Amino acid sequence: MPERLAEMLLDLWTPLIILWITFPPCLYMAPLNPSQVLMSGSPLELSRLREEQRILNRSKRGWVWNQMFVLEEFSGPEPILVGRLHTDLDPGSKKIKYILSGDGAGTIFQINDATGDIHAIKRLDREEKAEYTLTAQAVDWETNKPLEPPSEFIIKVQDINDNAPEFLNGPYHATVPEMSILGTSVTNVTATDADDPVYGNSAKLVYSILEGQPYFSIEPETAIIKTALPNMDREAKEEYLVVIQAKDMGGHSGGLSGTTTLTVTLTDVNDNPPKFAQSLYHFSVPEDVVLGTAIGRVKANDQDIGENAQSSYDIIDGDGTALFEITSDAQAQDGIIRLRKPLDFETKKSYTLKVEAANVHIDPRFSGRGPFKDTATVKIVVEDADEPPVFSSPTYLLEVHENAALNSVIGQVTARDPDITSSPIRFSIDRHTDLERQFNINADDGKITLATPLDRELSVWHNITIIATEIRNHSQISRVPVAIKVLDVNDNAPEFASEYEAFLCENGKPGQVIQTVSATDKDEPKNGHYFLYSLLPEMANNPNFTIKKNEDNSLSILAKHNGFNRQKQEVYLLPIVISDSGNPPLSSTSTLTIRVCGCSNDGVVQSCNVEAYVLPIGLSMGALIAILACIILLLVIVVLFVTLRRHKNEPLIIKDDEDVRENIIRYDDEGGGEEDTEAFDIATLQNPDGINGFLPRKDIKPDLQFMPRQGLAPVPNGVDVDEFINVRLHEADNDPTAPPYDSIQIYGYEGRGSVAGSLSSLESTTSDSDQNFDYLSDWGPRFKRLGELYSVGESDKET
């Protein structure tokens, strides 16, 4: 503590002593002109003033320095004296007054206007303001008139070591790769000191490490931090805390210091190989596991991190390299063993694999530390499972002729149970694939038979599915597709390819081709169709036509002569026999219709009808059609005209203001039932005025005077209904008051009766043997057959 106090006193008084020696408080010189203020600023100015004094023969004056110093951070009971202004014009009679202006005048610096002493009345801080520029002037005490021009001078604040170094950007973070060599640069830090870097050692900094050794070191002048130990291992320790100190005064005793922290993190390098956690792994898997399923996982641990810890896995040896594969999981850093091919417990029950894990990214700097890979053994045990039946083939292709007999065997499918405890198999057809039930299968041996006839021309292929089911476990089933091809047999006779109709010109030439026909066959011969054409034996010597076989398997019909006449014969029918080349061959007869037509000179058919032959000369078929169309149009116009005229006729009934049918007339008469036909007269509703008189009709002239109708008496029993209907019709036709409306009246009347009388035997008192049916022949032709039957019966009975 005494040493520290002595250093502070020394730092405080040293600048004061220097200031006193360099610039004494007052310098008195020879007296000068009173109009001049002794405040010259430099030796050059002093020389100039001396020259002027010598020229003007004026007395010299004293001068005051142009630069003053004041120590910062000085504090005492009284203001500190900075300096004194004095002029030779001042005889000491207090007739001169000193005035101070400029930076801090009156607030920081105060002048004694009588003596010129300048005092600092406040504590100064060089870091806030290092110098102040002021102006001094001497004036007359009474008149305040300037005695000399103003003079400018500077007061500098002299620095002391009152600011400690600071790390403005701290705390710091840095990284360095692990396993770095000695002296590898980590980072550098910088501290600042607010003290004056020019004056003294207050801002001269020296760096050192207070904590973090022996791992790191620091350059004292540049603050560069380096590794102090080689091959630092991240896996042993990843992070280090370093405390750094910066001290001013060149690091000497009494200087101020500041500290900061630096966190150094070792980054990872691939300096560690992968290592399996165990040398032997055991897994078990059912034999019916689905392909691609994960069987197990293996993992090789790596102390590195990130991409340095990534490893690839491979199967390098073993008896299951073809059945299994291993892939790498980048997230979990382990290997996944999957199934590539189906397993069979009955064939092999266990497998042994040798797997390897190797680093993906290898740093060649550490390749000498050994191979960055590791191996392990994996044993896989296959567990037995109840498997479905297995067909001997994945698909079956069968062939059958379309004329195969029913229940004949088409083919056979076989299947077996692959398990050790083999189960019997039953076969069946999936009827969704055989909706018409054309095939059957033997449930025990799998033989497929024909159930319904086949026709290749309707369907060439039949695709069915056969199901194999274990008898002991019905849930274990297998399916196999079976394609059945229907083979062709010659069961269809050839026929014309289409409906042909030939046209023969009357003016044709002998040997002219009338028509070319071709044939078709629904069958499918192996070497293509070949047809034989011929005429019927009875028409082999046809006088009119002959046939000719063409090379393209078609047939041409030729005319034997000319001079055909459609008036004599309009149509000719030519039967042609067509035979195929099948075994056995089939044939059919097709008839070609040949029409005789009228043709132009160049052979163009114009008309083939006999009626057209008798048309007037010069009147073509088109002209005839146009005439008929005009006649029909005229008839339509006449019919429309007549219809419109009928619609314009006046009403047939002479009526007063309105039709009675537009009124509502109510009758409280319920009538006498179905037999009462005289309850009211419908004519009264249609024409209510007709009871008192009659309205004559315009369309007929009545032959007699109409009298009001009286109620009709009931029809007595026995009156002929036919006569009753005729009377009613006559009255309706001759009724002048009835409107000419059509009326339909229906009577349930069958007629007068039949001469046969009743055929019922309910009233018969005799048996069939006592009756005589000879009278049936008198009933007319409708009963002729009945009479013959009964007559024959009587004759047979007598016989």
Side-chain angles (χ1 to χ4, degrees):
M1 185 66 184
E3 294 178 357
R4 177 63 178 170
L5 182 58
E7 291 177 357
M8 292 180 65
L9 293 176
L10 180 62
D11 292 338
L12 179 61
W13 287 104
T14 299
L16 293 177
I17 297 172
I18 295 173
L19 180 61
W20 179 266
I21 296 174
T22 306
F23 303 102
C26 291
L27 292 178
Y28 296 98
M29 301 185 68
L32 295 179
N33 193 316
S35 63
Q36 295 176 342
V37 179
L38 301 181
M39 298 179 63
S40 177
S42 64
L44 183 59
E45 293 178 355
L46 180 61
S47 174
R48 182 177 56 82
L49 291 175
R50 287 178 178 177
E51 184 67 22
E52 290 178 356
Q53 180 182 0
R54 190 166 47 251
I55 294 174
L56 298 176
N57 295 320
R58 299 181 64 180
S59 61
K60 295 182 180 180
R61 64 164 181 160
W63 61 278
V64 180
W65 57 93
N66 67 339
Q67 183 169 306
M68 299 182 182
F69 292 88
V70 61
L71 196 64
E72 70 167 335
E73 301 294 342
F74 179 80
S75 61
E78 295 181 0
I80 183 175
L81 178 64
V82 177
R84 175 177 295 176
L85 298 179
H86 187 73
T87 178
D88 292 340
L89 298 179
D90 184 5
S93 59
K94 297 183 181 180
K95 291 183 179 182
I96 296 177
K97 181 171 64 176
Y98 297 95
I99 299 174
L100 184 67
S101 62
D103 292 341
T107 58
I108 299 177
F109 302 100
Q110 192 174 33
I111 189 171
N112 190 325
D113 54 359
T115 63
D117 294 338
I118 300 174
H119 292 82
I121 60 176
K122 285 187 177 180
R123 184 175 182 178
L124 300 179
D125 188 356
R126 190 202 65 84
E127 285 70 37
E128 292 183 2
K129 192 173 179 63
E131 61 183 27
Y132 298 85
T133 301
L134 295 101
T135 301
Q137 189 174 20
V139 298
D140 185 83
W141 186 274
E142 296 177 354
T143 63
N144 286 331
K145 291 182 180 182
L147 300 179
E148 290 184 355
S151 179
E152 186 177 89
F153 66 98
I154 296 173
I155 298 179
K156 287 189 174 183
V157 181
Q158 193 170 8
D159 183 52
I160 64 172
N161 189 18
D162 60 341
N163 291 279
E166 293 182 356
F167 292 92
L168 300 180
N169 298 324
Y172 297 89
H173 296 272
T175 59
V176 63
E178 65 170 333
M179 311 302 294
S180 296
I181 62 176
L182 179 66
T184 301
S185 177
V186 178
T187 185
N188 67 323
V189 296
T190 303
T192 60
D193 196 321
D195 293 327
D196 191 356
V198 179
Y199 180 76
N201 294 328
S202 298
K204 185 178 181 180
L205 304 181
V206 175
Y207 298 91
S208 61
I209 293 179
L210 300 181
E211 182 179 342
Q213 296 174 339
Y215 306 103
F216 301 97
S217 63
I218 189 171
E219 291 287 341
E221 304 293 336
T222 61
I224 297 176
I225 301 171
K226 300 180 180 180
T227 57
L229 289 179
N231 301 328
M232 288 189 291
D233 193 359
R234 185 198 65 83
E235 288 73 31
K237 186 176 182 180
E238 183 177 6
E239 192 173 86
Y240 296 84
L241 182 64
V242 181
V243 179
I244 302 171
Q245 175 185 265
K247 190 175 182 180
D248 58 13
M249 297 299 293
H252 295 295
S253 177
L256 303 179
S257 64
T259 60
T260 188
T261 59
L262 169 66
T263 301
V264 181
T265 303
L266 299 182
T267 58
D268 185 63
V269 297
N270 189 13
D271 59 338
N272 294 283
K275 185 70 175 178
F276 280 104
Q278 55 193 75
S279 59
L280 181 62
Y281 293 86
H282 291 273
F283 301 108
S284 59
V285 56
E287 62 174 330
D288 59 350
V289 68
V290 180
L291 297 182
T293 302
I295 296 173
R297 290 174 176 260
V298 297
K299 185 172 184 178
N301 297 319
D302 195 324
Q303 296 181 4
D304 298 321
I305 59 175
E307 66 176 15
N308 296 321
Q310 291 181 3
S311 298
S312 61
Y313 295 86
D314 293 294
I315 299 175
I316 60 175
D317 197 5
D319 54 1
T321 55
L323 277 74
F324 302 95
E325 65 179 359
I326 187 169
T327 58
S328 302
D329 187 349
Q331 299 296 329
Q333 296 296 328
D334 54 6
I336 306 173
I337 301 175
R338 301 181 185 274
L339 182 65
R340 293 177 57 189
K341 295 183 179 180
L343 300 174
D344 188 6
F345 172 81
E346 290 71 25
T347 303
K348 189 173 178 61
K349 299 178 176 58
S350 64
Y351 297 89
T352 301
L353 304 175
K354 187 176 182 181
V355 296
E356 179 186 73
N359 276 155
V360 177
H361 305 282
I362 298 177
D363 194 335
R365 296 178 300 172
F366 307 103
S367 57
R369 304 185 67 173
F372 284 79
K373 61 180 65 176
D374 194 17
T375 59
T377 302
V378 178
K379 287 190 175 181
I380 301 174
V381 177
V382 181
E383 298 177 349
D384 188 22
D386 191 3
E387 300 175 87
V390 178
F391 284 95
S392 59
S393 175
T395 58
Y396 290 88
L397 176 62
L398 306 179
E399 294 181 346
V400 57
H401 286 87
E402 60 179 327
N403 62 349
L406 298 181
N407 298 323
S408 60
V409 177
I410 300 174
Q412 185 179 12
V413 297
T414 58
R416 65 178 182 85
D417 184 5
D419 299 322
I420 295 179
T421 58
S422 180
S423 172
I425 306 297
R426 292 186 63 85
F427 300 94
S428 61
I429 297 178
D430 186 354
R431 292 302 176 183
H432 292 90
T433 61
D434 185 25
L435 298 176
E436 299 179 358
R437 295 182 175 270
Q438 292 184 288
F439 307 96
N440 290 326
I441 189 171
N442 189 303
D444 297 326
D445 57 13
K447 291 182 178 180
I448 302 173
T449 57
L450 185 62
T452 60
L454 299 174
D455 188 355
R456 190 203 66 84
E457 286 68 39
L458 295 179
S459 180
V460 179
W461 289 94
H462 297 272
N463 297 306
I464 62 175
T465 300
I466 304 300
I467 302 174
T469 306
E470 290 187 10
I471 296 179
R472 296 178 183 175
N473 186 358
H474 292 172
S475 63
Q476 295 295 334
I477 61 175
S478 296
R479 298 172 180 266
V480 67
V482 178
I484 302 175
K485 183 179 181 181
V486 181
L487 302 178
D488 183 48
V489 296
N490 192 25
D491 59 345
N492 292 277
E495 57 186 6
F496 277 157
S498 62
E499 293 291 336
Y500 293 102
E501 186 176 12
F503 299 96
L504 174 63
C505 293
E506 290 179 315
N507 56 357
K509 298 179 181 179
Q512 182 179 1
V513 176
I514 302 173
Q515 181 71 40
T516 300
V517 298
S518 59
T520 183
D521 195 331
K522 295 181 180 179
D523 296 322
E524 187 181 358
K526 296 181 179 180
N527 299 322
H529 292 293
Y530 181 79
F531 301 112
L532 298 176
Y533 301 94
S534 63
L535 298 176
L536 289 177
E538 57 270 20
M539 298 189 66
N541 296 323
N542 191 305
N544 299 314
F545 308 100
T546 184
I547 60 175
K548 177 185 177 183
K549 176 69 181 296
N550 299 322
E551 294 181 358
D552 59 353
N553 213 17
S554 62
L555 180 68
S556 297
I557 293 88
L558 295 81
K560 281 188 174 183
H561 60 83
N562 57 2
F564 290 92
N565 192 341
R566 54 180 162 166
Q567 285 184 323
K568 294 181 180 180
Q569 186 172 352
E570 181 184 5
V571 178
Y572 293 89
L573 300 178
L574 183 63
I576 300 175
V577 179
I578 309 174
S579 301
D580 60 16
S581 57
N583 187 18
L586 296 180
S587 63
S588 65
T589 301
S590 299
T591 301
L592 177 65
T593 301
I594 304 175
R595 294 186 179 276
V596 181
C597 304
C599 302
S600 61
N601 293 332
D602 54 357
V604 178
V605 175
Q606 293 180 341
S607 175
C608 297
N609 297 327
V610 178
E611 292 77 3
Y613 188 78
V614 298
L615 289 175
I617 299 176
L619 187 62
S620 64
M621 181 62 68
L624 180 61
I625 293 175
I627 293 172
L628 292 176
C630 293
I631 294 173
I632 294 172
L633 181 60
L634 290 174
L635 290 176
V636 171
I637 294 174
V638 171
V639 171
L640 292 176
F641 180 75
V642 172
T643 304
L644 293 175
R645 287 293 301 272
R646 291 186 62 185
H647 287 173
K648 293 180 180 179
N649 289 337
E650 296 180 0
L652 297 177
I653 300 177
I654 301 175
K655 54 185 178 178
D656 295 335
D657 296 335
E658 59 182 5
D659 191 354
V660 71
R661 288 172 296 173
E662 295 180 359
N663 298 325
I664 299 175
I665 302 175
R666 178 178 179 180
Y667 295 90
D668 293 330
D669 185 1
E670 297 182 356
E674 295 178 355
E675 297 178 356
D676 186 1
T677 60
E678 300 298 330
F680 57 88
D681 192 355
I682 189 65
T684 303
L685 293 177
Q686 296 174 343
N687 188 8
D689 297 332
I691 192 64
N692 298 323
F694 67 93
L695 297 176
R697 289 172 53 173
K698 292 182 177 181
D699 57 341
I700 61 173
K701 182 177 181 180
D703 296 334
L704 51 87
Q705 182 68 30
F706 175 78
M707 296 300 292
R709 291 181 56 185
Q710 303 294 328
L712 298 178
V715 179
N717 295 331
V719 176
D720 193 352
V721 178
D722 191 8
E723 182 180 356
F724 171 75
I725 295 175
N726 289 331
V727 172
R728 288 290 187 266
L729 291 176
H730 180 73
E731 291 179 355
D733 292 337
N734 295 279
D735 187 357
T737 63
Y741 299 141
D742 292 337
S743 176
I744 300 177
Q745 297 183 7
I746 300 175
Y747 299 91
Y749 177 59
E750 298 180 355
R752 292 180 179 275
S754 174
V755 296
S758 176
L759 298 179
S760 175
S761 60
L762 296 177
E763 298 179 357
S764 176
T765 57
T766 61
S767 63
D768 294 340
S769 61
D770 297 335
Q771 294 184 12
N772 186 4
F773 299 98
D774 293 337
Y775 61 87
L776 294 176
S777 60
D778 299 333
W779 288 1
R782 295 184 179 179
F783 296 94
K784 181 179 179 181
R785 181 59 179 166
L786 183 62
E788 292 176 357
L789 293 175
Y790 276 85
S791 299
V792 173
E794 292 296 331
S795 61
D796 293 342
K797 188 182 298 183
E798 292 176 359
T799 304

